[in-house]
Structures are given as C-alpha cells and as structure tokens.
Amino acid sequence: MCGRFALTLPHDAMAQLFAAAPSNALPDIPNYNICPTNQVHAVHVIDGQRRLVAMRWGFLPHWYKAENGGPLLINARAETIAEKPAFKAACRARRCLIPATGFYEWTKDPEGKRLPWYIHPTRGSLLAFAGVWQDWERDGVTHRTCAIVTTQANPKMSAIHHRQPVTLNEDQWALWLGEAGHGAATLMTAADEDAMAFYRVNPKVNSNRAAGPDLIEPLEP
C-alpha cells in the first residue's frame, strides 16, 4: 500500500516536468509527511490539456453521504480496480498522476514497534504514482478526490511490504492519462527492482503531525 509520502519539488518545476498548466490553489510544499485526507498534487487531463491541481487524497464514491460515509479509500488495488464499484468507472475515464519525492512503509521489530522506511527513486528526483480521481459533490461544493493505484511488490520491495504503488516513467504518462489511446491496464505493474531504494528513518514520522526535512534523513546506526 501507500499510506504516507513526501513531495519537495517546486510548483513551477512540476508544471514544467509534466507539461501541465498549474492551478492557482496548490498545496504547500515542501511537505515531508503527506497523510490521507490531505490535499495532494495531481496531474490530469481536462479539455485536452494537462493540469496540475489539488485533490483530496481519499477517493469519495458518489454514493457516500459524507466524507466519512464509508471506508477511507486512499489506495486502489490494480488487480481489482476494474471490477470494484468505487473505482471501475474512474479507472476507464478518470486517471491521474500523483507526484512524490518518496514514500514511507513500515516493518516491525521483535517487540512489535513500528520501524519506518523511506523509499525514493534511484533515477531522477520524482516518482509519478498512477492514480484515479472522482468528483464528489455535497451542498453545492465539489471536492476532487483521488486514490493511488497499488500492486504486488517486486522481490526487493517485498522485504518491507507486500504492496507498492504503481509508478510510471515519463514515456508512460500519456498512455495512463488517456492521451495515447487504450492500453493503460498494461501499466499497472511493479517497477523494476533497481528503480527505487530504501533506508530506515527516524520513528518520529510515525506521527502524522511530524514535519520537516529530517523525516527523510537516514537513521544513524
């Protein structure tokens, strides 16, 4: 799964990288501890143009009566996304890219304490998560919401977790966003083992209130 991540790239650099028109209301960065229900950056295509916008991380199906009207859907499993009622329409017509500098996963020590790890790209400065999005309207207000697509972890990543986010290379973005025809389903696989590396970080990130660049610093032995 993916339950927490970081993003440090400036807005203008992201807009240039994704060739996307930036919204005027984007979440503050850097943010080293992005949590579920936070506003996140996302790239989607509207009226034939890529746009960099803010979305609520936590997909809200149209039948939810309130934001807490059902399970918190921060991830969508690649294996079942086309069948699940919450996601099946979005995976065909409303796909997005969610940029991240890196993300966190946890293991446990023999005493059951949670040990955080930071996973980052080995090439380039950014990961592009595959995502799906949905507009949810209540009381005349539209909330644009999203979930990150996950898949079975590759052998290297499985050392710390059995799932990992689907990450897309630049030459795959157009297909995922629907700009290059059909076939996006073929992209929902784990990245190569050499695409990412990971290391232990300070347990202070276990708190969703923690902040600051030291959260992604390697833990000293």
Side-chain angles (χ1 to χ4, degrees), residues 129-206:
F129 297 149
V132 290
W133 64 275
Q134 168 77 45
D135 279 345
W136 183 80
E137 298 183 18
R138 284 297 179 275
D139 301 323
V141 178
T142 299
H143 303 268
R144 189 148 289 182
T145 72
C146 66
I148 294 169
V149 181
T150 67
T151 190
Q152 184 175 348
N154 63 41
K156 180 179 177 180
M157 282 293 301
S158 65
I160 57 174
H161 202 277
H162 66 284
R163 305 288 296 176
Q164 69 180 84
V166 173
T167 56
L168 302 175
N169 299 325
E170 186 172 357
D171 61 358
Q172 299 172 318
W173 295 348
L175 184 58
W176 183 255
L177 292 173
E179 300 168 320
H182 301 289
T186 63
L187 303 177
M188 291 190 288
T189 59
D192 293 338
E193 292 187 64
D194 63 352
M196 287 179 276
F198 49 83
Y199 53 81
R200 283 278 314 282
V201 291
N202 196 296
K204 68 187 297 184
V205 77
N206 292 354

Side-chain angles (χ1 to χ4, degrees), residues 6 8 32 104 116-120 198-205 212-221:
T8 62
Y32 297 90
Y104 301 96
W117 299 76
Y118 183 66
I119 301 97
H120 61 94
F198 49 83
Y199 53 81
R200 283 278 314 282
V201 291
N202 196 296
K204 68 187 297 184
V205 77
D214 57 321
L215 296 183
I216 64 171
E217 291 297 320
L219 186 67
E220 295 183 6

Side-chain angles (χ1 to χ4, degrees), residues 18-200:
F18 289 103
S23 166
N24 291 326
L26 292 170
D28 292 336
I29 46 175
N31 188 340
Y32 297 90
N33 195 6
I34 299 170
C35 303
T37 74
N38 287 173
Q39 292 290 303
V40 301
H41 296 74
V43 176
H44 66 350
V45 175
I46 297 293
D47 298 328
Q49 183 180 19
R50 290 185 188 182
R51 300 181 184 274
L52 176 64
V53 301
M55 295 188 185
R56 176 192 187 267
W57 185 21
F59 192 98
L60 293 173
H62 65 83
W63 60 81
Y64 277 24
K65 302 300 184 184
E67 291 187 22
N68 60 354
L72 181 58
L73 304 176
I74 61 170
N75 294 155
R77 292 175 67 94
E79 298 88 346
T80 58
I81 191 172
E83 305 162 6
K84 292 291 186 181
F87 299 123
K88 63 182 182 180
C91 78
R92 291 176 173 84
R94 293 187 301 278
R95 298 187 296 271
C96 62
L97 301 169
I98 300 171
T101 307
F103 63 100
Y104 301 96
E105 287 294 358
W106 282 262
T107 56
K108 290 184 178 180
D109 69 10
E111 288 74 42
K113 294 180 180 178
R114 299 178 74 220
L115 308 176
W117 299 76
Y118 183 66
I119 301 97
H120 61 94
T122 56
R123 298 182 293 270
S125 58
L126 201 70
L127 297 169
F129 297 149
V132 290
W133 64 275
Q134 168 77 45
D135 279 345
W136 183 80
E137 298 183 18
R138 284 297 179 275
D139 301 323
V141 178
T142 299
H143 303 268
R144 189 148 289 182
T145 72
C146 66
I148 294 169
V149 181
T150 67
T151 190
Q152 184 175 348
N154 63 41
K156 180 179 177 180
M157 282 293 301
S158 65
I160 57 174
H161 202 277
H162 66 284
R163 305 288 296 176
Q164 69 180 84
V166 173
T167 56
L168 302 175
N169 299 325
E170 186 172 357
D171 61 358
Q172 299 172 318
W173 295 348
L175 184 58
W176 183 255
L177 292 173
E179 300 168 320
H182 301 289
T186 63
L187 303 177
M188 291 190 288
T189 59
D192 293 338
E193 292 187 64
D194 63 352
M196 287 179 276
F198 49 83
Y199 53 81
R200 283 278 314 282

